[in-house]
Structures are given as structure tokens and as C-alpha cells.
Amino acid sequence: MDPSPERIQPPCPVASSCGGCCLQHASETAELAWKRDLVAEALAKSGITKSVVDPVASVPCGTRRKTTLSWKKSKSHFVMGYNARRTHHIVTTHACMLLTKAISDASAILREAIKDLLPSGKGAVSICDSDSGIDVVLDWVGRPDLQVLEVLAALVHKHDWARLSLRIGAIIEPIAVQREPIVYMGEHPVCLPPGAFLQPSREGQELLVGLVLKELNAPGGPILDLFCGLGTFALPLAANLHRPVTAIDSDQQSVSCLAATGMVKAFVRDLFRNPLLPSELEHYEAVVLDPPRAGGAAQVLQIAQCAPKKGPKKIVMVSCNPFTCARDARRLTDAGFVIEKITPVNQFHRSMHVELVVVFSRV
């Protein structure tokens, strides 16, 4: 059997074993077509068949600004890398074509520095290429002694990283801080809590923000940003549209950092267990909804129950899971919302993951 003309030689040397990417064998054209079809299939399974899915918008490769590597240490062996597909086996990855150079360099430095420091056990290390430097969160087994702390602090200073923290159990403790890690949301810097959620790339963030801004650019009333995180959308919306923005998320640290900018009203609330009710939603003309992979079913249900003349007139949903997005979209269309636009976004090159922005309106 002849191979497909869209099949290519995987550019990564560990493509056959690493669990991070499963589309290394596909050309870029084939990957983007497959992801567009995946979005259309997810919507069709929820009964949404008449809406047109736009071509996939993609960001450049080598732009991922955050990664999490697994590590395992025994008396005679140390390994650090990504998990093999569907197993806990760790594949050593000395470089990754998806990451920024700063992260690739930092991971190589860390691998060499911690192999003799770490106690026996297993864990993970997260590395973020923040806008003020590398930010590391390293899982640690037990309590580190003074010598370990001194070595880790020296590592931060030597390589001019922003911060290194240890996660011991459920607690993250900063060990060495040269400067506060920050990320820019539009033109506004926001402090970055250790381990906080970020869009995978700066380029992807700008692409998503541009799509959301375009849909809400007309003059209008207050905007509600739900599952707001650090303000990926809330801050650019407030700065560019000059409309009141209220932002809500369950993560206390992220909301505190967002509120500290003074640009928006920001509140802590668990939207899974305590979604905003129709009586609260009726004060807003538009809603930006950016839930995690599980989707926003509880909150979407409340939006769907709003009276047409009182509830939000426009919903912009940003999703990282086409299937939960399709489920929530069906709930909104059953309530009278109309899908205006569907744009898939490829931030996760060579993987099965695809994001999408769906725009709804209701007269």
C-alpha cells in the first residue's frame, strides 16, 4: 500500500514514543484539515450541522511558552521528559520543536542540575517563559535541606531566571525570586502566580483576543468575562472597547492579580457549583465564556434560561474542547441563540488538541 501524499517523515526524533504529539507524520495542510473536520464532527454529533466552520487559524511552531515535564529518580537512574503515549513511561526529550528557545534551554539546564539533587521518587517540573523571564515550579519529595535550597537559588541567579518555586504536597513555595514573573494581557502587565493558567503561546493569545475583540467591537453595554483567569480577554476588552467589564473565576490568586490592575471588576466564584443566575446575567449585554476542557454546562444552562429581552444578546465562547463546546452550543441554540461564526485555532501543533471561538447572538 502506498503512503498518503500528505504523510511526511516526522521531524522529531522521538515522535514514535513521546506522548506529546501524535500528528508528526502528517503535513501541515493535512493537520489543519483534520482539525477543521474534527470541529465540524463534534458539532454534527450535537445536531449542529448548518453552521459553517472557518479554516483553521494557526500560530507559528516553536512558540509554546509553557510546558510540564515528568521526572523520576531512583538510586541508580534519573529520567526527565514527556510521558509516552498512554503510559507512565518517561521519554527523555532533550529538545522540543514546539517550545520557545528559552524553555528548551531552561529544561536542559534543569535536567543537569537536579539529577543529583532530587530525592528518590517522581514528580513534574513546569517551566514558563514569562514576559519577565523563566518561571519554574518543581515537584519535591519531602523537605529540601539548606544545601539544596542554596544550589537552586544559585541556579536562578546564574541563569537570570525570574523565579523558582517548589511544590511540596499541595503547597507551592517560592525558593528564589529575582523579579516578579509577569505576563502582558494586551498592554497591561499582570503578576503571574506560580502554576497559573496561561494561553499556550503569546501569538495564540493575541490571535484569540483579536477574534474576541472583533466580535464585540461595536458600542454597547457591560461585558461579562467568565472563567477569566488572569484577564486574557477582560483587560484588552476594557482597554480597547471602553465598556465596563466584570471578570469572574474560581482561582483566588489569578483574580487577585487581575483585580490589582484596577482595570476591571474581578470576583471569585465557582461557576461550576454556583453559576450566575438569569437575574444576575440580565445586567450584561455580552458574555465572553472561556471554560476549561470540561466546558461550562452549568453556566450555559443559566444563560439559556435568560429571557430574550433581558439576557445577554451576544456570547463569544472560547473552548479547548470541541465536544464539550458542541454540547454547550446546542444548549444555547435550543434557547434561541444563532451561531454567527466558528473559528478553529491551532495552538497545539502536531497534537490532537484544537481550540475554537464560537460567536452566538440572540435578538
Side-chain angles (χ1 to χ4, degrees):
M1 183 180 293
D2 294 331
S4 164
E6 296 292 352
R7 177 175 286 274
I8 63 172
Q9 180 66 32
C12 176
V14 294
S16 62
S17 54
C18 178
C21 302
C22 59
L23 296 177
Q24 289 274 351
H25 62 286
S27 70
E28 183 177 4
T29 301
E31 177 186 347
L32 297 184
W34 183 83
K35 290 186 174 182
R36 184 184 184 187
D37 290 345
L38 181 68
V39 171
E41 177 189 352
L43 292 166
K45 285 185 175 180
S46 289
I48 301 172
T49 57
K50 295 182 180 180
S51 298
V52 176
V53 179
D54 287 349
V56 179
S58 194
V59 301
C61 201
T63 58
R64 287 284 297 274
R65 62 178 170 181
K66 189 172 183 179
T67 193
T68 299
L69 299 159
S70 298
W71 63 260
K72 187 174 183 179
K73 173 75 178 290
S74 66
K75 290 182 178 180
S76 59
H77 185 63
F78 171 75
V79 61
M80 176 175 144
Y82 294 115
N83 285 63
R85 197 166 296 120
R86 299 188 183 92
T87 77
H88 294 293
H89 174 70
I90 299 173
V91 178
T92 301
T93 46
H94 292 287
C96 176
M97 59 185 289
L98 305 183
L99 305 176
T100 65
K101 184 178 185 303
I103 291 186
S104 292
D105 291 346
S107 64
I109 291 167
L110 270 171
R111 180 182 287 104
E112 186 63 27
I114 66 177
K115 65 180 182 180
D116 296 323
L117 286 181
L118 283 167
S120 294
K122 59 183 179 180
V125 55
S126 295
I127 310 171
C128 176
D129 182 6
S130 84
D131 291 325
S132 59
I134 289 293
D135 183 30
V136 176
V137 179
L138 173 63
D139 287 355
W140 200 268
V141 180
R143 300 293 306 185
D145 59 29
L146 180 58
Q147 181 182 3
V148 166
L149 297 177
E150 289 176 343
V151 172
L152 293 175
L155 196 65
V156 172
H157 293 296
K158 178 180 179 181
H159 298 286
D160 196 31
W161 294 346
R163 180 177 62 194
L164 187 148
S165 306
L166 295 184
R167 181 188 284 109
I168 304 172
I171 305 299
I172 298 178
E173 300 180 4
I175 298 302
V177 182
Q178 288 212 115
R179 55 191 170 274
E180 192 75 24
I182 62 168
V183 288
Y184 278 87
M185 302 301 177
E187 297 181 356
H188 300 279
V190 183
C191 293
L192 179 65
F197 171 79
L198 279 180
Q199 288 295 332
S201 67
R202 297 173 180 86
E203 293 80 359
Q205 176 179 303
E206 291 173 3
L207 194 161
L208 291 171
V209 168
L211 290 170
V212 172
L213 282 174
K214 180 180 179 181
E215 299 302 328
L216 299 176
N217 197 30
I223 298 173
L224 184 62
D225 182 7
L226 302 178
F227 304 98
C228 65
L230 289 165
T232 302
F233 302 107
L235 290 174
L237 287 168
N240 290 276
L241 304 188
H242 307 291
R243 297 166 66 176
V245 177
T246 299
I248 298 176
D249 197 279
S250 61
D251 186 77
Q252 175 70 64
Q253 286 188 307
S254 294
V255 170
S256 296
C257 291
L258 174 56
T261 67
M263 293 285 294
V264 302
K265 294 179 180 179
F267 302 98
V268 176
R269 183 160 170 170
D270 186 339
L271 296 171
F272 290 105
R273 296 178 175 85
N274 186 24
L276 273 71
L277 302 176
S279 58
E280 299 171 283
L281 292 162
E282 67 183 24
H283 305 294
Y284 299 94
E285 184 175 307
V287 175
V288 177
L289 200 65
D290 184 17
R293 290 190 61 79
Q299 186 58 73
V300 167
L301 175 61
Q302 298 303 318
I303 295 172
Q305 291 178 352
C306 288
K309 300 298 182 182
K310 291 186 176 181
K313 303 298 185 294
K314 198 151 197 174
I315 310 294
V316 182
M317 186 183 299
V318 182
S319 173
C320 59
N321 185 334
F323 292 93
T324 57
C325 180
R327 176 202 65 201
D328 294 342
R330 178 60 188 267
R331 175 81 70 177
L332 291 173
T333 56
D334 285 349
F337 283 90
V338 175
I339 295 177
E340 293 185 351
K341 193 175 182 66
I342 304 168
T343 307
V345 176
N346 184 31
Q347 286 200 79
F348 298 91
H349 285 276
R350 307 295 185 183
S351 78
M352 296 178 65
H353 296 295
V354 58
E355 296 176 277
L356 61 158
V357 177
V358 186
V359 183
F360 304 84
S361 63
R362 182 165 69 172
V363 178

